[in-house]
Amino acid sequence: MPSCRTAWSLSSSLRAPENEALPDIIKGMLSSHEPTTHPFQTDDSRLQPIQEKVLAGTRLDASDALALYRTGDILAVGWMANLVRERMHGDKTYFNVNRHINPTNVCVAACRLCAFGRKKDAPGAYTMALEEAFETAASGYSEAVTEFHIVGGLHPDLPFQYFLDLCSGLKQRFPQVHVKAFTMVEVAYLARRAKLSIRETLAQLKASGVDSLPGGGAEIFADRVRHIICDHKIDGDQWLETAKLAHQLGLKSNATMLYGHVENDEDRVDHLMKLRALQDETGGFQTFIPLAFHPDNTPLQHLPKTTGMLDIKQIAVSRLVLDNFPHIKSYWQMMTAKIAQISLRFGADDMDGTVIEEKIYHDAGATTPQGMRRQELERLIRAAGRVPIERDTLYRQVTRTETSVTVAV
Ligand code: V47
């Protein structure tokens, strides 16, 4: 076990690096917030060179990322991630008022990671008629939502037109609401079924009202892992290529990583590095969301659940490695509100939203509530010593009065 004890304190020359090493997308975000200046100590000498890089704003490499996963010193990793988080966002912590809509759970993929998908004739299979999806969109909390988050199964019979009509119908009825819809996996499947190129499929979705894409379906890019957890999905390269095409068409997207199943540290590092490389190219990712695997009711239910230690560490490593991603989200539905709140001091700057109705994690045994009110999200953020900022999907500040919702542009 490494035994060198190092005292960490920020000299003023290191505290405000010239930002030369930071990517352009991030430079504009650097906050005037004064980062933590108290000394910090670690017994793990592997973290010393990483600390120096973080202080200087130098990019971490794959071996640094591995060392971060392998250290037990979660406080040291968290301290560094928090420093980066405060450089970028100060105390600001984002959340949004959104509604999830899952139009169908019918899915041909039968991924071992999933408890949500059903075969067409299986008990519990459902597909919403368009009117039903519109009613779902309108139901729930009376507060005006700013985002519909739409994902579903890979349905073998629903025509592409259903998805175009779903988005254009939502835009007609709720013109002010941002439509964040369809994972890269769904887009690739729709393209195949409609016999269109992925670019043309994305262009038609955009024309019908899709404003951006969620980050799901990325799982873990490594083939070895994908063969075990989701062998009928597009592979990692196809996921990345679809994201690249979306970004080229001007559609922002998020990216996820499903962790805590059969992947190892190297697989996680590989996943982060591939996302970072694509972001260098396109700048189209807004937010990274690590998703903890929930094994209940899946074919992998013999696997243990993730621990709090891994959940927090995953947030912190993501913040440190993905230096070109503006935001790291701790999705409270998946992490629990308590862990998500703590993660706001370990690198996360976003907690996601009100959600209202969540199916994917609850089918897999999640015990979190289905939704959370805006006031409760704000309370959790304030109790973490942070400043809650309601945002829209594009991270513009939302201001509410009794009668209006205004987005700063
Ligand atoms: O792609 C499925 C994951 C994802 C399980 O972009 C599971 O803002 C854990 O991507 N245990 C869908 N995870 C959810 C998603 C998401 C969530 C919140 C915000 C955003 C965003 C995106 O859920 C799937 C898959 O990776 N998933 N089953 C499971 N048993």
Side-chain angles (χ1 to χ4, degrees):
M1 193 53 202
S3 60
C4 145
R5 179 168 283 270
T6 45
W8 291 11
S9 63
L10 293 178
S11 73
S12 54
S13 61
L14 285 174
R15 194 186 310 147
E18 290 309 303
N19 305 332
E20 288 308 322
L22 297 175
D24 287 343
I25 188 172
I26 298 302
K27 281 182 188 161
M29 308 186 63
L30 292 177
S31 139
S32 56
H33 183 274
E34 277 294 297
T36 319
T37 52
H38 59 77
F40 192 91
Q41 297 191 322
T42 179
D43 284 333
D44 190 340
S45 60
R46 291 171 299 187
L47 299 180
Q48 176 67 27
I50 300 178
Q51 173 221 348
E52 280 159 18
K53 284 188 182 176
V54 171
L55 291 175
T58 303
R59 177 163 272 195
L60 303 186
D61 62 24
S63 65
D64 298 325
L66 264 184
L68 291 170
Y69 275 120
R70 287 178 180 166
T71 181
D73 195 344
I74 184 73
L75 291 180
V77 179
W79 186 89
M80 292 188 280
N82 190 52
L83 181 85
V84 173
R85 182 255 199 249
E86 290 186 354
R87 256 187 209 153
M88 294 170 80
H89 303 290
D91 280 327
K92 286 182 186 164
T93 296
Y94 301 94
F95 69 96
N96 69 346
V97 176
N98 62 353
R99 197 205 203 292
H100 283 211
I101 305 171
N102 305 118
T104 180
N105 65 353
V106 172
C107 190
V108 294
C111 296
R112 287 186 196 88
L113 66 89
C114 184
F116 171 70
R118 304 271 190 288
K119 291 283 166 236
K120 209 166 49 172
D121 302 319
Y126 73 85
T127 300
M128 293 179 184
L130 285 174
E131 277 310 321
E132 205 182 333
F134 301 144
E135 277 163 29
T136 303
S139 67
Y141 300 148
S142 56
E143 285 190 310
V145 301
T146 60
E147 171 188 283
F148 293 132
H149 173 133
I150 306 171
V151 294
L154 308 181
H155 195 297
D157 306 324
L158 276 180
F160 185 37
Q161 195 59 42
Y162 168 94
F163 297 92
L164 299 176
D165 292 345
L166 173 64
C167 297
S168 58
L170 285 171
K171 273 287 171 206
Q172 243 168 24
R173 288 164 179 78
F174 312 94
Q176 75 289 359
V177 180
H178 182 109
V179 174
K180 183 178 83 182
F182 313 127
T183 64
M184 306 308 159
V185 176
E186 290 169 271
V187 170
Y189 185 69
L190 290 176
R192 212 177 87 197
R193 293 220 39 249
K195 299 191 171 44
L196 294 171
S197 67
I198 291 188
R199 184 185 291 277
E200 179 56 24
T201 306
L202 284 162
Q204 291 196 24
L205 288 170
K206 186 177 178 194
S208 78
V210 169
D211 297 303
S212 71
L213 282 80
E219 322 308 4
I220 286 276
F221 293 139
D223 284 343
R224 177 189 65 79
V225 176
R226 262 184 130 70
H227 283 145
I228 300 169
I229 65 170
C230 58
D231 48 353
H232 301 305
K233 263 186 192 166
I234 54 172
D235 67 21
D237 287 345
Q238 288 167 316
W239 190 98
L240 290 160
E241 185 56 29
T242 307
K244 184 172 171 173
L245 287 166
H247 298 170
Q248 284 170 352
L249 286 171
L251 290 162
K252 294 279 184 195
S253 82
N254 291 338
T256 57
M257 174 173 105
L258 185 73
Y259 66 93
H261 40 85
V262 297
E263 87 288 5
N264 59 30
D265 292 340
E266 283 83 357
D267 297 322
R268 292 179 196 149
V269 171
D270 172 71
H271 191 91
L272 295 177
M273 290 295 159
K274 285 185 171 144
L275 286 175
R276 190 171 79 178
L278 181 56
Q279 177 73 334
D280 277 345
E281 223 180 307
T282 68
F285 289 118
Q286 299 205 103
T287 310
F288 178 69
I289 311 129
L291 298 170
F293 179 54
H294 283 49
D296 290 357
N297 307 321
T298 76
L300 298 174
Q301 62 188 344
H302 56 282
L303 294 176
K305 293 190 166 88
T306 64
T307 61
M309 184 83 168
L310 180 59
D311 291 341
I312 291 284
K313 168 120 30 114
Q314 185 53 57
I315 288 282
V317 177
S318 307
R319 178 62 288 163
L320 287 166
V321 175
L322 295 178
D323 55 10
N324 53 4
F325 271 63
H327 302 283
I328 303 291
K329 187 187 284 185
S330 55
Y331 181 39
W332 70 265
Q333 282 271 4
M334 173 274 292
M335 291 203 140
T336 75
K338 289 183 180 185
I339 296 277
Q341 184 196 31
I342 291 169
S343 75
L344 301 181
R345 292 264 155 197
F346 283 77
D349 63 277
D350 190 328
M351 281 187 75
D352 203 274
T354 50
V355 180
I356 303 180
E357 190 181 15
E358 201 287 329
K359 292 195 166 80
I360 296 173
Y361 291 97
H362 288 82
D363 282 355
T367 53
T368 44
Q370 283 285 333
M372 199 187 294
R373 290 193 176 274
R374 183 168 53 89
Q375 292 80 353
E376 179 61 3
L377 278 165
E378 287 178 338
R379 187 180 76 86
L380 290 172
I381 293 168
R382 280 207 188 89
R386 299 300 197 195
V387 177
I389 306 280
E390 185 183 339
R391 60 161 177 93
D392 70 355
T393 313
L394 301 175
Y395 286 82
R396 296 173 303 191
Q397 186 163 355
V398 172
T399 312
R400 285 176 192 269
T401 66
E402 291 284 302
T403 51
S404 70
V405 181
T406 316
V407 176
V409 279

